[in-house]
Amino acid sequence: MNYIDEGFYYKVYDLDNGRVLKKIQPFFYSFKKVFRHCRERSHMTLLSSIKMASKVVPREHKALEKMKDKMKTLPSHIFGDPIFIGSSLNYTQDKVITLTDYFEKHTDSESKKIIDLYVNLQEKLWSMGIHDKVFKFQTNYGVTSTGEVAFIDFGECLFSKEEALESALSRKWLNRKKYKNWDNVVLKEYYTNKMNSLMTEENFNNLWNK
């Protein structure tokens, strides 16, 4: 079992069998990660960063618990076929190629098809009453061995229609660092146009929980 990477809440290990293990970290590990991220924002004071980290970490743990429960009745392949371990939030999952890596190794034409699949997946998530609020699509989504796009980092979702709609209309994806630094102009423009077409109040209301 080899260490691969880590985020705010999980450390990821390669199981050398086509699967990865995602091991949730203790509260203070995540707290420090979120706190440091907040402090990097010039407008956030020390106190506001502490308050934000104290609020965010428990909230995301609750979101993970809800996703774990919802997945009992959802098609698991769109999440990389996760298998939770006992009563914990640790789980194994199919190893995928992140969209960042995929785009670097494939043609624009091939990558546009993957962007189309990503947009289709957002529609499917809406139809199940799930909204991905962080729009980190290059890192939180991957291409499976069968060529599907899977939502592999699903810990920061919304389930309230009102909150999800507000997030959808926020155009938050335009402020993501990876989006701003995306040097492939062709794919960036294609993705932007697709997202602008998708993220409308009419589309959201037509698809949510349907």
Side-chain angles (χ1 to χ4, degrees), residues 31 34-35 38-39 41-56:
F31 177 90
V34 176
F35 173 76
C38 291
R39 290 299 288 151
R41 300 179 180 180
S42 59
H43 68 281
M44 295 197 72
T45 65
L46 175 63
L47 181 58
S48 62
S49 297
I50 292 173
K51 287 181 178 179
M52 178 64 75
S54 300
K55 177 182 177 182
V56 165

Side-chain angles (χ1 to χ4, degrees), residues 80-98:
D81 286 318
I83 299 175
F84 283 90
I85 301 172
S87 60
S88 74
L89 290 174
N90 301 331
Y91 61 94
T92 64
Q93 186 180 48
D94 288 342
K95 189 176 181 180
V96 301
I97 302 171
T98 64

Side-chain angles (χ1 to χ4, degrees), residues 21-208:
L21 169 66
K22 293 190 172 179
K23 190 172 182 182
I24 198 159
Q25 297 304 297
F27 172 85
F28 284 108
Y29 167 93
S30 297
F31 177 90
K32 287 188 290 185
K33 286 268 190 179
V34 176
F35 173 76
R36 287 170 185 163
H37 176 72
C38 291
R39 290 299 288 151
E40 290 172 0
R41 300 179 180 180
S42 59
H43 68 281
M44 295 197 72
T45 65
L46 175 63
L47 181 58
S48 62
S49 297
I50 292 173
K51 287 181 178 179
M52 178 64 75
S54 300
K55 177 182 177 182
V56 165
V57 176
R59 183 183 68 199
E60 303 314 331
H61 277 229
K62 286 182 181 179
L64 280 163
E65 290 281 6
K66 188 156 188 175
M67 281 297 292
K68 178 182 177 180
D69 186 59
K70 286 179 77 71
M71 282 184 187
K72 295 173 183 177
T73 58
L74 298 178
S76 64
H77 67 93
I78 66 175
F79 302 101
D81 286 318
I83 299 175
F84 283 90
I85 301 172
S87 60
S88 74
L89 290 174
N90 301 331
Y91 61 94
T92 64
Q93 186 180 48
D94 288 342
K95 189 176 181 180
V96 301
I97 302 171
T98 64
L99 297 196
T100 296
D101 292 338
Y102 186 94
F103 294 155
E104 290 177 353
K105 298 173 183 177
H106 291 79
T107 66
D108 287 350
S109 178
E110 291 170 323
S111 296
K112 284 180 179 179
K113 292 178 182 177
I114 294 301
I115 292 174
D116 290 341
L117 291 177
Y118 165 81
V119 170
N120 292 342
L121 181 51
Q122 301 315 298
E123 294 177 336
K124 187 174 293 184
L125 290 172
W126 281 357
S127 73
M128 297 184 293
I130 300 170
H131 173 73
D132 175 15
K133 69 179 181 181
V134 293
F135 301 107
K136 297 178 181 177
F137 92 110
Q138 289 114 317
T139 55
N140 287 4
Y141 293 78
V143 180
T144 68
S145 59
T146 59
E148 296 178 288
V149 169
F151 185 14
I152 57 169
D153 192 346
F154 43 75
E156 296 178 280
C157 290
L158 296 172
F159 310 99
S160 157
K161 183 177 181 179
E162 293 73 21
E163 291 178 334
L165 177 58
E166 181 181 358
S167 173
L169 298 180
S170 71
R171 294 167 61 84
K172 188 176 181 179
W173 64 87
L174 296 175
N175 295 319
R176 283 297 170 201
K177 186 175 181 180
K178 276 192 171 290
Y179 173 83
K180 289 181 175 180
N181 296 336
W182 201 355
D183 57 6
N184 187 317
V185 177
V186 173
L187 291 184
K188 187 175 185 178
E189 181 179 5
Y190 187 79
Y191 168 77
T192 303
N193 291 336
K194 284 287 184 177
M195 289 294 283
N196 284 336
S197 296
L198 171 66
M199 296 287 169
T200 68
E201 186 169 358
E202 181 180 7
N203 285 340
F204 180 87
N205 287 328
N206 286 338
L207 290 166
W208 187 258

